Amino acid sequence: MVQKAKILLVDDRPENLLALEAILSALDQTLVRASSGEEALKALLTDDFAVILLDVQMPGMDGFETAAHIKRRERTRDIPIIFLTAINHGPHHTFRGYAAGAVDYISKPFDPWVLRAKVSVFVELYMKNCKLREQAALLRLQLEGDGHAGGEHEKEPAGLLAELSARLAAVEEQAEALSKQLDDESADAAAVATAAHLERKLTGLRRALDALEPGTGGGAGILPAQK
């Protein structure tokens, strides 16, 4: 069974949370409610989330302050944040949202289909990253086990490397297609920046994988450091 991704919904108004749940229910993921910035930060202490939908106007800790706390934490700094706001004070207000670490900034009332489509992109990226991490962990265990077994299964690590490389190549291909699509549609700067961030992450994964290939001299130096 494929584990569902968690999406954090942060809004002080119950009716807004209910509306978000109705819009995103079609994605068939786990929706987690938070009625304040403080409650959101508590949820982020224990659970991993694919994306955060964060209301800007909240009593006490507002969306900007909440986002600042999220970005300061090592565990949560890379979680995409989509700001939702019922007011629009112009470009300066929007810039403040991006400066706080948001990947997108949407004014209410928003198109439900557009919001659902944007959230689904981050959910898909999150699921693919989780799969890659699982494959990398499996590969490390296999290589370590092979070392203790005295080389009885020398061909197995090579097969796992090939499988992981193929999986990564598929994600790289999709990321490239996403970047081209954003260019064609003249997407906003935040979406383009998010795609570029993903490509940099994938480049790092590819370099780490290449270092494990036989003959590169990288495998022996990398695995012990990751134990």
Side-chain angles (χ1 to χ4, degrees), residues 28-85:
D28 193 28
Q29 304 300 324
T30 302
L31 306 178
V32 179
R33 284 189 177 199
S35 58
S36 67
E38 292 85 354
E39 190 175 334
L41 294 177
K42 288 181 181 179
L44 288 163
L45 287 174
T46 55
D47 291 325
D48 294 324
F49 291 91
V51 61
I52 302 170
L53 274 63
L54 180 57
D55 184 42
V56 172
Q57 299 296 117
M58 294 187 295
M61 184 184 298
D62 64 13
F64 296 129
E65 187 178 354
T66 303
H69 283 289
I70 293 172
K71 293 301 177 182
R72 280 198 291 265
R73 293 178 177 177
E74 179 71 24
R75 175 189 172 94
T76 58
R77 64 178 51 175
D78 291 329
I79 302 177
I81 298 174
I82 298 177
F83 272 133
L84 305 176
T85 179

Side-chain angles (χ1 to χ4, degrees), residues 168 198-210:
L168 180 57
L198 171 63
E199 289 186 340
R200 288 194 296 272
K201 291 281 190 179
L202 291 175
T203 299
L205 285 172
R206 173 59 67 184
R207 289 174 179 170
L209 182 60
D210 289 344

